[in-house]
Amino acid sequence: MPYVVAILMATGAFFASITFFVANPFGELFMASTAGPRPFQPADGNGLNPLLQYHSMVIHPPMLYLGYVGFAVPFAFAMAALITRQLGDNWIRTTRRWTMVPWMFLGTGILLGGRWAYSVLGWGGYWGWDPVENASLLPWLAGTAFLHSVMIQEKRGMLKVWNVVLIITTFFLCIFGTFLTRSGIVSSVHAFAQSNIGPFFAVFLGIVLLFSVSLLFLRVEFLKSENKLDSVVSRESGFLFNNWILLAAVFAVLWGTIFPIISKAVQGVTVTVGAPFFNKVAVPIGLLLLFLTGAGPLLAWRKTSFQSLRRNFTLPLAAAVVVGVALFLSGVRHFYAWMSLFLCAFVAVSILQEFFKGARTRQKTGGENFLRAIYNLTMRNTRRYGGYVVHLGIVLLFVGFAGQAFQAKTKGLMQDGDELRVKNYVLRGISVVSGDTPNYTFQKIRLAVSKDGQPLGTLEPDRRFYKASQQPTSHVAIRSSLAEDVYAVLAGQDPDTGKAIVEVFVNPLVAWVWIGGFVTFLGTLLAMVPSRVERQMAEMRQAQEAGVGVSDAL
Amino acid sequence: MNEVGSVGLIAALAFAAYGVVAGAMGGKLRSLRMVRSAERAAAAFFVMITLAIVALEIQILRDNFHNAYVAAHLCPTS
């Protein structure tokens, strides 16, 4: 513990000194006068950036920061374990929940950021591979690899060096993410977060890297694996592949994110890498990960026999083939979207099969009814079944991602009575109204929405001009359903005709992204609940300690 | 209130710096007293940072535009 406190306090000292000496929020305004500087209090402030005046912005940044800050704890334990040479799996068991909590908050923060981008930025999507978005994704990916990889160390005493490397990488990327956001070193939609603290973060990053990597090299002989990989077709291999692919994703996203800095340093020209690069690289990697999400838990520890493979994979593969054929027959020709939905079916059925098999066994041995058996099964091993719920959440996320391939959009000039068609939707202008609030002036267009001739209601996108900051923004109107979102943006006013410029997107399956995020959140909470086995072991330990105490007293 | 916030920050920094030294010394010398002292410094760090946050929140809620941060980021209507 003492070194854990020391490492955490070193991190705290860095942030406290940055906050006090470089970006002090308690600076005061003064006005120059002949008698010297006099305290000055303007009648009004500049106002909050209009883009930030959105409800999820109240919790999006704290969620991200809880994630960033929380990863300092497993990092501190890892460094303390290296310093004290206590490199068994104690530090990993102690920090399991300390890793899951920040992972959950970081993931939730990322999704809330996506929801903000979707509802505020008005370009029809929720993820644009912006450097600051990437900065939050990077530690989440590395943290995901760490969460999986520690299980191999706990079960088989393997990958000890790898686990330390992963937690160093995760913590480094947390600080790096803050550095990217606050330094303004790469251009971003998050330009409002820029300040002059970048160089200090660069130095801190250097110190973190030097300290942790040196310590790792000094202790590497104490991190020898207790076992070797028995077979390529095993749970360990599945975890290992999962780790490699997650790390490949980290490298690809990191490379694309810092490429403008590298190109500027090498060629003197800033070359920005856009969404097409990231999509090209990240989509296949994501699909491989999705496959492993389903296949990994079907593999046995040490070695999986052919019979076991056939028994576990037959049903999920058959379900995936049925879904794949149905999708093809219904006209889905986008390869990645098709593959994503095919794999979603495979993973979902593989997870449900695990629940079903466990419950059936309990039914046979304990005579429990099916629902009771599912509940008891889950509560007996919350870590495992909570993990499966997380995987189900990931499946739902991928269903939502696949929908992006079928996005339809149109743009037109509109006033009362004008119509805009997109897919089988018709949007008809009802009225254009202007208004004034203490915070902003606005222009709003009312659009009657109908689908296949059936009226669905109205959408009212508006364009606001914020008085304090003198900035315009568009306020998106969304009609959401499980199947698709109708998303309308008032982009401005045409100077020639005076008509409103309206953009309309139909975004299929987006709701599943938010639902998937919520299920992932719930699954993580479930995985953190102490399981019955854990509680029984804790009670036994307490009883033993009490016994020792009594015998000592005697 | 700005003074309270600044005191909170500088005190937090001092406790953190002490926590680093006491933690490392406590580990090296195996001194339980030092270790306890480091843990208390960590708790005090948390309290001081919380104090600074509360001081800033109060200024935001009171629209104190004499504070440069509040003036740069807020107006009563937003």
Side-chain angles (χ1 to χ4, degrees), chain A residues 1-3 5-6 9-10 12-13 16-17 19-21 24-29 39-48 53 438-439 468, chain B residues 2-3 5-6 9-10 13 16 20 23-24 27-28 35 38 42 45 52 56 59 64-69 71-78:
Chain A
M1 258 322 247
Y3 291 109
V5 175
M9 285 299 96
S17 55
T19 314
F20 185 77
F21 293 112
N24 194 324
F26 298 105
E28 296 174 335
L29 294 176
F40 172 63
Q41 179 154 352
D44 205 350
N46 294 341
L48 188 64
Q53 295 185 32
N439 193 14
Chain B
N2 283 322
E3 290 79 10
S6 292
L9 280 181
I10 196 75
L13 177 57
V20 176
K28 185 80 183 162
V35 174
F45 170 80
L56 187 59
Q59 300 198 76
N64 178 11
F65 297 124
H66 179 47
N67 176 297
Y69 176 85
H73 296 100
L74 292 163
C75 72
T77 49
S78 65

Short mmCIF file of all heavy atoms in Angstrom, two decimals, chain A residues 1-3 5-6 9-10 12-13 16-17 19-21 24-29 39-48 53 438-439 468, chain B residues 2-3 5-6 9-10 13 16 20 23-24 27-28 35 38 42 45 52 56 59 64-69 71-78:
data_model
loop_
_atom_site.label_atom_id
_atom_site.label_comp_id
_atom_site.label_asym_id
_atom_site.label_seq_id
_atom_site.Cartn_x
_atom_site.Cartn_y
_atom_site.Cartn_z
N MET A 1 0.79 -1.24 0.00
CA MET A 1 0.00 0.00 0.00
C MET A 1 0.82 1.29 0.00
O MET A 1 0.43 2.24 -0.65
CB MET A 1 -0.93 0.03 1.22
CG MET A 1 -2.38 -0.30 0.97
SD MET A 1 -3.18 0.28 -0.49
CE MET A 1 -4.34 1.44 0.14
N PRO A 2 1.96 1.36 0.75
CA PRO A 2 2.65 2.67 0.81
C PRO A 2 3.07 3.19 -0.56
O PRO A 2 2.93 4.39 -0.84
CB PRO A 2 3.88 2.41 1.69
CG PRO A 2 4.02 0.94 1.80
CD PRO A 2 2.66 0.36 1.60
N TYR A 3 3.54 2.26 -1.42
CA TYR A 3 3.98 2.73 -2.74
C TYR A 3 2.79 3.09 -3.62
O TYR A 3 2.89 3.94 -4.49
CB TYR A 3 4.84 1.65 -3.41
CG TYR A 3 6.17 1.47 -2.73
CD1 TYR A 3 6.45 0.33 -1.99
CD2 TYR A 3 7.14 2.46 -2.79
CE1 TYR A 3 7.67 0.17 -1.34
CE2 TYR A 3 8.37 2.31 -2.15
CZ TYR A 3 8.61 1.17 -1.42
OH TYR A 3 9.82 1.02 -0.78
N VAL A 5 0.12 4.57 -2.50
CA VAL A 5 -0.20 5.94 -2.08
C VAL A 5 0.81 6.91 -2.73
O VAL A 5 0.42 7.97 -3.25
CB VAL A 5 -0.17 6.07 -0.54
CG1 VAL A 5 -0.37 7.52 -0.11
CG2 VAL A 5 -1.24 5.19 0.08
N ALA A 6 2.09 6.52 -2.70
CA ALA A 6 3.13 7.40 -3.26
C ALA A 6 2.89 7.67 -4.75
O ALA A 6 2.97 8.82 -5.20
CB ALA A 6 4.51 6.79 -3.04
N MET A 9 -0.22 9.82 -5.21
CA MET A 9 0.03 11.20 -4.78
C MET A 9 0.96 11.93 -5.76
O MET A 9 0.86 13.14 -5.93
CB MET A 9 0.60 11.22 -3.37
CG MET A 9 -0.41 10.94 -2.29
SD MET A 9 -1.76 12.14 -2.23
CE MET A 9 -3.01 11.34 -3.18
N ALA A 10 1.86 11.18 -6.39
CA ALA A 10 2.73 11.81 -7.41
C ALA A 10 1.86 12.30 -8.56
O ALA A 10 2.05 13.43 -9.07
CB ALA A 10 3.76 10.81 -7.91
N GLY A 12 -1.34 13.01 -8.32
CA GLY A 12 -2.12 14.11 -7.75
C GLY A 12 -1.31 15.39 -7.67
O GLY A 12 -1.83 16.48 -7.97
N ALA A 13 -0.03 15.26 -7.29
CA ALA A 13 0.83 16.45 -7.17
C ALA A 13 0.99 17.11 -8.54
O ALA A 13 0.97 18.35 -8.64
CB ALA A 13 2.19 16.04 -6.62
N ALA A 16 -2.32 18.87 -9.31
CA ALA A 16 -2.53 20.03 -8.42
C ALA A 16 -1.60 21.17 -8.82
O ALA A 16 -2.01 22.34 -8.82
CB ALA A 16 -2.29 19.62 -6.97
N SER A 17 -0.35 20.84 -9.18
CA SER A 17 0.59 21.91 -9.54
C SER A 17 0.19 22.56 -10.86
O SER A 17 0.28 23.77 -11.02
CB SER A 17 2.04 21.40 -9.58
OG SER A 17 2.12 20.31 -10.44
N THR A 19 -2.85 22.79 -12.00
CA THR A 19 -4.05 23.58 -11.73
C THR A 19 -3.68 24.86 -10.97
O THR A 19 -4.28 25.92 -11.21
CB THR A 19 -5.06 22.76 -10.90
OG1 THR A 19 -5.17 21.48 -11.48
CG2 THR A 19 -6.43 23.41 -10.88
N PHE A 20 -2.70 24.79 -10.09
CA PHE A 20 -2.38 25.98 -9.31
C PHE A 20 -1.48 26.94 -10.08
O PHE A 20 -1.74 28.15 -10.14
CB PHE A 20 -1.70 25.57 -8.00
CG PHE A 20 -1.46 26.74 -7.09
CD1 PHE A 20 -2.50 27.30 -6.36
CD2 PHE A 20 -0.20 27.32 -7.00
CE1 PHE A 20 -2.29 28.40 -5.54
CE2 PHE A 20 0.02 28.42 -6.19
CZ PHE A 20 -1.03 28.97 -5.46
N PHE A 21 -0.43 26.42 -10.72
CA PHE A 21 0.58 27.31 -11.31
C PHE A 21 0.30 27.68 -12.76
O PHE A 21 0.71 28.74 -13.22
CB PHE A 21 1.97 26.66 -11.23
CG PHE A 21 2.48 26.50 -9.83
CD1 PHE A 21 2.62 25.25 -9.25
CD2 PHE A 21 2.80 27.62 -9.06
CE1 PHE A 21 3.07 25.11 -7.95
CE2 PHE A 21 3.26 27.49 -7.76
CZ PHE A 21 3.39 26.23 -7.20
N ASN A 24 -4.75 28.17 -13.35
CA ASN A 24 -5.45 28.40 -12.08
C ASN A 24 -6.86 28.96 -12.33
O ASN A 24 -7.01 30.01 -12.95
CB ASN A 24 -4.64 29.39 -11.23
CG ASN A 24 -5.12 29.41 -9.79
OD1 ASN A 24 -6.32 29.30 -9.53
ND2 ASN A 24 -4.19 29.52 -8.86
N PRO A 25 -7.89 28.26 -11.87
CA PRO A 25 -9.25 28.76 -12.10
C PRO A 25 -9.66 29.86 -11.11
O PRO A 25 -10.79 30.31 -11.14
CB PRO A 25 -10.12 27.51 -11.91
CG PRO A 25 -9.35 26.69 -10.94
CD PRO A 25 -7.89 26.97 -11.15
N PHE A 26 -8.72 30.25 -10.24
CA PHE A 26 -9.07 31.27 -9.25
C PHE A 26 -8.40 32.61 -9.55
O PHE A 26 -8.29 33.48 -8.68
CB PHE A 26 -8.69 30.79 -7.84
CG PHE A 26 -9.45 29.55 -7.45
CD1 PHE A 26 -8.84 28.30 -7.44
CD2 PHE A 26 -10.80 29.61 -7.15
CE1 PHE A 26 -9.54 27.16 -7.13
CE2 PHE A 26 -11.52 28.47 -6.83
CZ PHE A 26 -10.88 27.24 -6.82
N GLY A 27 -7.93 32.78 -10.80
CA GLY A 27 -7.38 34.08 -11.21
C GLY A 27 -8.47 35.14 -11.18
O GLY A 27 -9.65 34.84 -11.42
N GLU A 28 -8.08 36.39 -10.90
CA GLU A 28 -9.06 37.48 -10.79
C GLU A 28 -8.83 38.52 -11.87
O GLU A 28 -7.72 38.67 -12.37
CB GLU A 28 -8.99 38.10 -9.40
CG GLU A 28 -9.39 37.11 -8.31
CD GLU A 28 -9.19 37.66 -6.91
OE1 GLU A 28 -8.34 38.56 -6.73
OE2 GLU A 28 -9.88 37.19 -6.00
N LEU A 29 -9.88 39.23 -12.21
CA LEU A 29 -9.79 40.29 -13.22
C LEU A 29 -9.45 41.62 -12.54
O LEU A 29 -10.04 41.96 -11.51
CB LEU A 29 -11.11 40.41 -13.98
CG LEU A 29 -11.50 39.22 -14.87
CD1 LEU A 29 -12.89 39.45 -15.47
CD2 LEU A 29 -10.48 38.99 -15.97
N PRO A 39 -9.58 46.01 -8.75
CA PRO A 39 -10.44 44.85 -9.03
C PRO A 39 -11.53 45.22 -10.03
O PRO A 39 -12.08 46.32 -9.96
CB PRO A 39 -11.04 44.51 -7.66
CG PRO A 39 -10.10 45.09 -6.67
CD PRO A 39 -9.51 46.30 -7.31
N PHE A 40 -11.78 44.32 -10.96
CA PHE A 40 -12.75 44.59 -12.02
C PHE A 40 -13.76 43.45 -12.09
O PHE A 40 -13.39 42.28 -12.06
CB PHE A 40 -12.01 44.73 -13.35
CG PHE A 40 -12.92 44.82 -14.54
CD1 PHE A 40 -13.82 45.88 -14.68
CD2 PHE A 40 -12.91 43.83 -15.53
CE1 PHE A 40 -14.67 45.96 -15.78
CE2 PHE A 40 -13.74 43.91 -16.63
CZ PHE A 40 -14.62 44.97 -16.76
N GLN A 41 -15.03 43.82 -12.16
CA GLN A 41 -16.08 42.80 -12.30
C GLN A 41 -17.01 43.19 -13.44
O GLN A 41 -17.83 44.10 -13.28
CB GLN A 41 -16.86 42.66 -10.99
CG GLN A 41 -17.96 41.61 -11.12
CD GLN A 41 -18.35 40.99 -9.79
OE1 GLN A 41 -17.70 41.21 -8.77
NE2 GLN A 41 -19.39 40.19 -9.79
N PRO A 42 -16.87 42.54 -14.61
CA PRO A 42 -17.77 42.90 -15.72
C PRO A 42 -19.22 42.57 -15.38
O PRO A 42 -19.48 41.70 -14.54
CB PRO A 42 -17.27 42.04 -16.88
CG PRO A 42 -16.50 40.94 -16.26
CD PRO A 42 -15.97 41.44 -14.96
N ALA A 43 -20.15 43.26 -16.05
CA ALA A 43 -21.58 43.05 -15.77
C ALA A 43 -22.02 41.66 -16.24
O ALA A 43 -22.95 41.09 -15.69
CB ALA A 43 -22.40 44.12 -16.48
N ASP A 44 -21.33 41.13 -17.26
CA ASP A 44 -21.73 39.84 -17.81
C ASP A 44 -20.49 39.07 -18.25
O ASP A 44 -19.45 39.68 -18.53
CB ASP A 44 -22.67 40.06 -19.01
CG ASP A 44 -23.58 38.87 -19.24
OD1 ASP A 44 -23.34 37.83 -18.59
OD2 ASP A 44 -24.50 38.97 -20.06
N GLY A 45 -20.61 37.74 -18.34
CA GLY A 45 -19.49 36.92 -18.80
C GLY A 45 -19.63 36.61 -20.29
O GLY A 45 -20.58 37.05 -20.95
N ASN A 46 -18.65 35.84 -20.81
CA ASN A 46 -18.67 35.48 -22.24
C ASN A 46 -19.72 34.42 -22.56
O ASN A 46 -20.09 34.23 -23.70
CB ASN A 46 -17.30 34.95 -22.67
CG ASN A 46 -16.26 36.03 -22.60
OD1 ASN A 46 -16.58 37.22 -22.57
ND2 ASN A 46 -14.99 35.63 -22.56
N GLY A 47 -20.17 33.72 -21.53
CA GLY A 47 -21.18 32.67 -21.75
C GLY A 47 -20.54 31.34 -22.09
O GLY A 47 -19.45 31.27 -22.64
N LEU A 48 -21.27 30.29 -21.75
CA LEU A 48 -20.80 28.94 -22.05
C LEU A 48 -20.84 28.72 -23.56
O LEU A 48 -21.78 29.18 -24.23
CB LEU A 48 -21.71 27.93 -21.34
CG LEU A 48 -21.30 26.47 -21.36
CD1 LEU A 48 -19.99 26.26 -20.62
CD2 LEU A 48 -22.38 25.61 -20.70
N GLN A 53 -23.99 23.65 -24.50
CA GLN A 53 -25.26 23.85 -23.81
C GLN A 53 -26.23 22.74 -24.19
O GLN A 53 -27.20 22.94 -24.91
CB GLN A 53 -25.82 25.24 -24.14
CG GLN A 53 -24.91 26.34 -23.59
CD GLN A 53 -25.48 27.74 -23.77
OE1 GLN A 53 -26.68 27.93 -23.74
NE2 GLN A 53 -24.59 28.71 -23.96
N PRO A 438 -33.78 35.05 -23.53
CA PRO A 438 -32.67 35.80 -22.93
C PRO A 438 -31.30 35.30 -23.37
O PRO A 438 -30.34 36.07 -23.42
CB PRO A 438 -32.87 35.56 -21.42
CG PRO A 438 -34.31 35.21 -21.28
CD PRO A 438 -34.70 34.51 -22.53
N ASN A 439 -31.20 34.02 -23.73
CA ASN A 439 -29.91 33.41 -24.06
C ASN A 439 -29.58 33.49 -25.56
O ASN A 439 -28.42 33.66 -25.93
CB ASN A 439 -29.95 31.94 -23.61
CG ASN A 439 -28.58 31.27 -23.63
OD1 ASN A 439 -27.57 31.96 -23.73
ND2 ASN A 439 -28.56 29.97 -23.54
N ALA A 468 -24.41 36.01 -25.86
CA ALA A 468 -23.19 36.29 -25.11
C ALA A 468 -21.94 35.96 -25.91
O ALA A 468 -21.00 36.74 -25.97
CB ALA A 468 -23.21 35.51 -23.80
N ASN B 2 -12.03 33.26 -3.93
CA ASN B 2 -10.87 32.87 -4.73
C ASN B 2 -9.70 32.46 -3.85
O ASN B 2 -8.95 31.54 -4.18
CB ASN B 2 -10.44 34.03 -5.64
CG ASN B 2 -11.36 34.17 -6.84
OD1 ASN B 2 -11.80 33.17 -7.39
ND2 ASN B 2 -11.67 35.39 -7.22
N GLU B 3 -9.58 33.16 -2.71
CA GLU B 3 -8.47 32.85 -1.79
C GLU B 3 -8.66 31.44 -1.21
O GLU B 3 -7.70 30.67 -1.11
CB GLU B 3 -8.41 33.86 -0.64
CG GLU B 3 -7.96 35.25 -1.03
CD GLU B 3 -9.07 36.06 -1.69
OE1 GLU B 3 -10.24 35.61 -1.67
OE2 GLU B 3 -8.77 37.13 -2.26
N GLY B 5 -10.21 28.93 -2.59
CA GLY B 5 -9.90 27.96 -3.64
C GLY B 5 -8.40 27.80 -3.82
O GLY B 5 -7.89 26.67 -3.92
N SER B 6 -7.70 28.93 -3.86
CA SER B 6 -6.24 28.87 -4.04
C SER B 6 -5.56 28.17 -2.88
O SER B 6 -4.64 27.37 -3.09
CB SER B 6 -5.68 30.30 -4.19
OG SER B 6 -6.12 30.84 -5.40
N LEU B 9 -6.02 24.50 -3.27
CA LEU B 9 -5.13 23.91 -4.28
C LEU B 9 -3.69 23.78 -3.77
O LEU B 9 -3.07 22.72 -3.94
CB LEU B 9 -5.13 24.78 -5.54
CG LEU B 9 -6.30 24.61 -6.50
CD1 LEU B 9 -6.14 25.54 -7.70
CD2 LEU B 9 -6.39 23.16 -6.99
N ILE B 10 -3.20 24.85 -3.17
CA ILE B 10 -1.79 24.80 -2.73
C ILE B 10 -1.63 23.81 -1.57
O ILE B 10 -0.62 23.10 -1.48
CB ILE B 10 -1.25 26.22 -2.36
CG1 ILE B 10 0.27 26.23 -2.30
CG2 ILE B 10 -1.83 26.76 -1.07
CD1 ILE B 10 0.96 26.20 -3.62
N LEU B 13 -1.56 20.41 -3.05
CA LEU B 13 -0.24 20.15 -3.62
C LEU B 13 0.75 19.76 -2.53
O LEU B 13 1.53 18.81 -2.69
CB LEU B 13 0.23 21.39 -4.39
CG LEU B 13 1.62 21.34 -5.00
CD1 LEU B 13 1.77 20.16 -5.94
CD2 LEU B 13 1.92 22.65 -5.75
N ALA B 16 -0.01 16.31 -1.28
CA ALA B 16 0.36 15.30 -2.28
C ALA B 16 1.87 15.09 -2.26
O ALA B 16 2.34 13.93 -2.27
CB ALA B 16 -0.10 15.74 -3.67
N VAL B 20 3.84 11.57 -1.32
CA VAL B 20 4.83 10.86 -2.14
C VAL B 20 6.02 10.46 -1.27
O VAL B 20 6.44 9.29 -1.25
CB VAL B 20 5.31 11.74 -3.32
CG1 VAL B 20 6.40 11.03 -4.11
CG2 VAL B 20 4.16 12.11 -4.24
N GLY B 23 4.98 8.06 1.67
CA GLY B 23 4.65 6.73 1.14
C GLY B 23 5.91 5.97 0.77
O GLY B 23 6.08 4.80 1.14
N ALA B 24 6.80 6.64 0.04
CA ALA B 24 8.04 5.97 -0.40
C ALA B 24 8.91 5.61 0.81
O ALA B 24 9.45 4.50 0.89
CB ALA B 24 8.80 6.87 -1.36
N GLY B 27 7.41 2.74 2.80
CA GLY B 27 7.63 1.46 2.14
C GLY B 27 9.07 0.99 2.31
O GLY B 27 9.34 -0.17 2.62
N LYS B 28 10.00 1.92 2.12
CA LYS B 28 11.43 1.58 2.18
C LYS B 28 11.84 1.18 3.60
O LYS B 28 12.54 0.19 3.80
CB LYS B 28 12.22 2.81 1.71
CG LYS B 28 13.70 2.61 1.59
CD LYS B 28 14.04 1.90 0.30
CE LYS B 28 15.54 1.62 0.22
NZ LYS B 28 15.82 0.59 -0.77
N VAL B 35 3.60 5.08 6.90
CA VAL B 35 2.57 4.64 5.95
C VAL B 35 1.22 5.24 6.32
O VAL B 35 0.50 5.78 5.46
CB VAL B 35 2.48 3.09 5.93
CG1 VAL B 35 1.32 2.63 5.06
CG2 VAL B 35 3.77 2.49 5.42
N ALA B 38 1.18 8.81 5.36
CA ALA B 38 0.98 8.99 3.91
C ALA B 38 -0.49 8.83 3.56
O ALA B 38 -1.04 9.58 2.74
CB ALA B 38 1.84 7.99 3.15
N ALA B 42 -3.07 11.52 1.87
CA ALA B 42 -3.92 11.28 0.69
C ALA B 42 -5.35 11.73 0.97
O ALA B 42 -6.01 12.35 0.12
CB ALA B 42 -3.88 9.80 0.31
N PHE B 45 -5.44 15.44 0.94
CA PHE B 45 -5.38 15.89 -0.46
C PHE B 45 -6.79 15.93 -1.05
O PHE B 45 -7.20 16.91 -1.67
CB PHE B 45 -4.48 14.94 -1.25
CG PHE B 45 -4.50 15.13 -2.74
CD1 PHE B 45 -3.76 16.13 -3.34
CD2 PHE B 45 -5.27 14.29 -3.55
CE1 PHE B 45 -3.77 16.30 -4.72
CE2 PHE B 45 -5.30 14.46 -4.93
CZ PHE B 45 -4.55 15.47 -5.51
N ALA B 52 -11.47 23.21 -2.96
CA ALA B 52 -11.24 24.09 -4.12
C ALA B 52 -12.40 23.99 -5.10
O ALA B 52 -12.86 25.02 -5.65
CB ALA B 52 -9.93 23.72 -4.80
N LEU B 56 -15.01 27.00 -6.28
CA LEU B 56 -15.27 27.40 -7.67
C LEU B 56 -16.76 27.31 -8.00
O LEU B 56 -17.32 28.21 -8.65
CB LEU B 56 -14.45 26.52 -8.63
CG LEU B 56 -14.47 26.91 -10.10
CD1 LEU B 56 -13.95 28.34 -10.30
CD2 LEU B 56 -13.64 25.95 -10.94
N GLN B 59 -18.69 30.25 -6.76
CA GLN B 59 -18.50 31.44 -7.59
C GLN B 59 -19.31 31.35 -8.89
O GLN B 59 -19.82 32.35 -9.38
CB GLN B 59 -17.02 31.63 -7.89
CG GLN B 59 -16.23 31.83 -6.62
CD GLN B 59 -14.90 32.44 -6.88
OE1 GLN B 59 -14.80 33.64 -7.12
NE2 GLN B 59 -13.88 31.62 -6.87
N ASN B 64 -20.01 35.26 -10.08
CA ASN B 64 -18.94 36.18 -9.68
C ASN B 64 -17.99 36.40 -10.85
O ASN B 64 -17.03 35.66 -11.02
CB ASN B 64 -18.21 35.60 -8.46
CG ASN B 64 -17.06 36.50 -8.04
OD1 ASN B 64 -16.93 37.64 -8.52
ND2 ASN B 64 -16.23 36.01 -7.14
N PHE B 65 -18.24 37.43 -11.64
CA PHE B 65 -17.43 37.67 -12.85
C PHE B 65 -16.10 38.34 -12.55
O PHE B 65 -15.34 38.63 -13.46
CB PHE B 65 -18.23 38.48 -13.87
CG PHE B 65 -19.45 37.74 -14.36
CD1 PHE B 65 -20.71 38.29 -14.26
CD2 PHE B 65 -19.32 36.48 -14.90
CE1 PHE B 65 -21.82 37.60 -14.69
CE2 PHE B 65 -20.44 35.77 -15.33
CZ PHE B 65 -21.69 36.33 -15.23
N HIS B 66 -15.83 38.59 -11.28
CA HIS B 66 -14.49 39.05 -10.92
C HIS B 66 -13.50 37.89 -11.10
O HIS B 66 -12.31 38.10 -11.36
CB HIS B 66 -14.50 39.54 -9.46
CG HIS B 66 -13.17 40.00 -8.97
ND1 HIS B 66 -12.36 40.85 -9.70
CD2 HIS B 66 -12.48 39.72 -7.83
CE1 HIS B 66 -11.23 41.06 -9.03
NE2 HIS B 66 -11.29 40.39 -7.89
N ASN B 67 -14.00 36.67 -10.98
CA ASN B 67 -13.18 35.48 -11.25
C ASN B 67 -13.05 35.31 -12.77
O ASN B 67 -14.05 35.26 -13.49
CB ASN B 67 -13.86 34.24 -10.63
CG ASN B 67 -13.13 32.96 -10.95
OD1 ASN B 67 -13.00 32.57 -12.11
ND2 ASN B 67 -12.64 32.29 -9.92
N ALA B 68 -11.79 35.26 -13.23
CA ALA B 68 -11.54 35.24 -14.69
C ALA B 68 -12.15 34.01 -15.36
O ALA B 68 -12.66 34.11 -16.48
CB ALA B 68 -10.03 35.28 -14.94
N TYR B 69 -12.11 32.87 -14.68
CA TYR B 69 -12.65 31.64 -15.27
C TYR B 69 -14.17 31.76 -15.44
O TYR B 69 -14.71 31.41 -16.49
CB TYR B 69 -12.30 30.45 -14.35
CG TYR B 69 -12.88 29.14 -14.81
CD1 TYR B 69 -12.22 28.37 -15.75
CD2 TYR B 69 -14.11 28.69 -14.31
CE1 TYR B 69 -12.76 27.17 -16.18
CE2 TYR B 69 -14.65 27.49 -14.74
CZ TYR B 69 -13.97 26.73 -15.67
OH TYR B 69 -14.51 25.55 -16.10
N ALA B 71 -15.91 34.50 -15.65
CA ALA B 71 -16.21 35.52 -16.68
C ALA B 71 -15.98 34.97 -18.09
O ALA B 71 -16.70 35.33 -19.03
CB ALA B 71 -15.34 36.75 -16.45
N ALA B 72 -14.99 34.07 -18.23
CA ALA B 72 -14.67 33.55 -19.57
C ALA B 72 -15.68 32.51 -20.04
O ALA B 72 -15.87 32.33 -21.24
CB ALA B 72 -13.27 32.95 -19.56
N HIS B 73 -16.32 31.82 -19.12
CA HIS B 73 -17.13 30.68 -19.53
C HIS B 73 -18.61 30.77 -19.23
O HIS B 73 -19.37 29.90 -19.62
CB HIS B 73 -16.59 29.40 -18.88
CG HIS B 73 -15.21 29.05 -19.35
ND1 HIS B 73 -14.09 29.34 -18.63
CD2 HIS B 73 -14.79 28.49 -20.49
CE1 HIS B 73 -13.01 28.94 -19.30
NE2 HIS B 73 -13.42 28.42 -20.44
N LEU B 74 -19.02 31.78 -18.50
CA LEU B 74 -20.43 31.82 -18.11
C LEU B 74 -21.06 33.18 -18.34
O LEU B 74 -20.37 34.20 -18.41
CB LEU B 74 -20.57 31.48 -16.61
CG LEU B 74 -20.24 30.05 -16.25
CD1 LEU B 74 -20.02 29.97 -14.76
CD2 LEU B 74 -21.36 29.12 -16.66
N CYS B 75 -22.37 33.16 -18.48
CA CYS B 75 -23.16 34.38 -18.36
C CYS B 75 -24.46 33.96 -17.69
O CYS B 75 -24.82 32.78 -17.72
CB CYS B 75 -23.38 35.07 -19.70
SG CYS B 75 -24.52 34.21 -20.77
N PRO B 76 -25.18 34.85 -17.04
CA PRO B 76 -26.34 34.43 -16.24
C PRO B 76 -27.39 33.68 -17.06
O PRO B 76 -28.15 32.88 -16.51
CB PRO B 76 -26.91 35.75 -15.72
CG PRO B 76 -25.80 36.72 -15.80
CD PRO B 76 -24.97 36.30 -16.96
N THR B 77 -27.46 33.92 -18.35
CA THR B 77 -28.53 33.32 -19.14
C THR B 77 -28.18 31.95 -19.70
O THR B 77 -29.05 31.24 -20.16
CB THR B 77 -28.90 34.23 -20.31
OG1 THR B 77 -27.71 34.60 -20.98
CG2 THR B 77 -29.64 35.46 -19.83
N SER B 78 -26.90 31.60 -19.75
CA SER B 78 -26.53 30.33 -20.39
C SER B 78 -26.53 29.18 -19.41
O SER B 78 -26.50 29.35 -18.23
CB SER B 78 -25.16 30.44 -21.06
OG SER B 78 -24.16 30.64 -20.10
#
